Amino acid sequence: SARSPLEQFQGQDLFREMGLSRLASWLDLTSSSLYLLSDDPGANMSALQKLPPCKARIYCRAGREGVSESLELVSDHQVVLIDRSFLTVKQMKMDPAFHPVHFVERALDASGEPEGWVKSPFRSMVLGFGETGRGALSFLYEFGSFVGKDRNPVPFHCEIIDRNAGSLAGTFRMEHPGIPDGRIGFTTMEIGSEAFWNHFVEDLPKLNYIALSLGDDQANVRVALDMISQICREGSGKPALVIKLEDP
């Protein structure tokens, strides 16, 4: 199907486009499943809208943002959204090892039990601000907001680094007016450039947590390995870091 000139068949149903009209009745079986797993979420949503009402369960790879209107057009279907960024952030929430509380200095009583407040601020960095990056920020803001001994919020800061950070910042602040100024910072920078590494080394002693979400698995791994090398060169005594790749 991907090799066919699908634009020539707009308005036809999906099975006619693929030349498989006789298989359309297969979707009327409740035991049937259809997987729309193109790397292009838009193509998956387009294919979904061309399916006739059916009883089969449909697994569709698409981002959760902006799909509600499209799903209303195909409400007769049993659609299960497969959102890689959502699943990645959900994994971070479900695995206690990723929770920011493990990377701050917690106050302990005489018996070594946590007293419910922390002594150190939480500073994080999110590299890449696509859907996964936005989800990572939401996770860090929710799980990384702590109180100090006086029951006031301890300092929280997350720096977003993205080549388009300037344009993304305005949209984010408009959509999240309740976040206090100074908690989220945006830096326009090419990740992996000399300027980026200089900036990273400067901020390293203050960082607790890093989320890598460049949208490219190989780029994530490459930058993560370079970060680990840089951390080792800087010597011991640095805070614990979690470098979360986009895919498990």
Side-chain angles (χ1 to χ4, degrees):
S1 175
R3 293 191 295 270
S4 303
L6 296 183
E7 65 275 5
Q8 297 179 12
F9 302 97
Q10 295 302 318
Q12 296 190 24
D13 65 67
L14 182 65
F15 283 88
R16 287 182 62 193
E17 286 187 12
M18 296 188 295
L20 300 172
S21 298
R22 294 176 63 186
L23 282 182
S25 59
W26 168 75
L27 289 179
D28 286 329
L29 300 175
T30 56
S31 59
S32 296
S33 296
L34 176 66
Y35 297 85
L36 303 173
L37 303 179
S38 168
D39 288 336
D40 180 359
N44 294 330
M45 296 305 297
S46 176
L48 186 61
Q49 293 176 25
K50 294 175 184 177
L51 289 173
C54 61
K55 299 178 182 178
R57 175 165 292 189
I58 301 167
Y59 295 86
C60 179
R61 178 176 176 180
R64 289 173 176 255
E65 295 185 11
V67 301
S68 57
E69 181 180 348
S70 298
L71 287 178
E72 288 176 2
L73 301 176
V74 289
S75 57
D76 291 334
H77 298 137
Q78 300 183 68
V79 180
V80 178
L81 285 179
I82 300 175
D83 182 346
R84 186 172 67 171
S85 61
F86 173 79
L87 294 176
T88 299
V89 176
K90 184 177 180 181
Q91 181 197 32
M92 296 171 74
K93 291 183 177 181
M94 294 180 63
D95 191 338
F98 294 133
H99 291 185
V101 70
H102 299 298
F103 307 99
V104 291
E105 186 180 359
R106 292 179 289 174
L108 305 177
D109 61 21
S111 62
E113 293 297 320
E115 291 191 345
W117 55 278
V118 303
K119 298 180 179 180
S120 61
F122 182 70
R123 297 183 64 89
S124 57
M125 180 181 286
V126 174
L127 306 182
F129 206 53
E131 286 191 9
T132 302
R134 293 193 292 273
L137 174 60
S138 175
F139 162 73
L140 293 174
Y141 192 78
E142 178 182 355
F143 284 76
S145 298
F146 305 109
V147 295
K149 186 176 182 179
D150 55 3
R151 303 306 176 190
N152 290 325
V154 300
F156 172 99
H157 182 75
C158 183
E159 181 179 17
I160 310 300
I161 299 182
D162 191 285
R163 66 174 64 178
N164 300 314
S167 59
L168 295 170
T171 302
F172 176 83
R173 293 193 173 106
M174 180 180 66
E175 294 175 346
H176 303 84
I179 297 181
D181 292 339
R183 290 202 155 201
I184 312 296
F186 287 83
T187 301
T188 302
M189 189 177 293
E190 189 70 33
I191 296 168
S193 65
E194 181 178 358
F196 166 78
W197 288 115
N198 291 336
H199 182 76
F200 175 73
V201 170
E202 182 180 346
D203 277 10
L204 181 56
K206 300 176 288 185
L207 287 174
N208 306 96
Y209 206 110
I210 297 175
L212 256 170
S213 54
L214 304 181
D216 182 304
D217 297 333
Q218 292 185 355
N220 281 338
V221 172
R222 184 174 62 252
V223 173
L225 291 175
D226 289 343
M227 281 185 165
I228 293 171
S229 298
Q230 189 68 55
I231 291 169
C232 292
R233 283 197 295 270
E234 290 299 308
S236 60
K238 297 297 183 294
L241 297 175
V242 168
I243 301 176
K244 183 67 183 77
L245 302 181
E246 187 162 355
D247 277 344

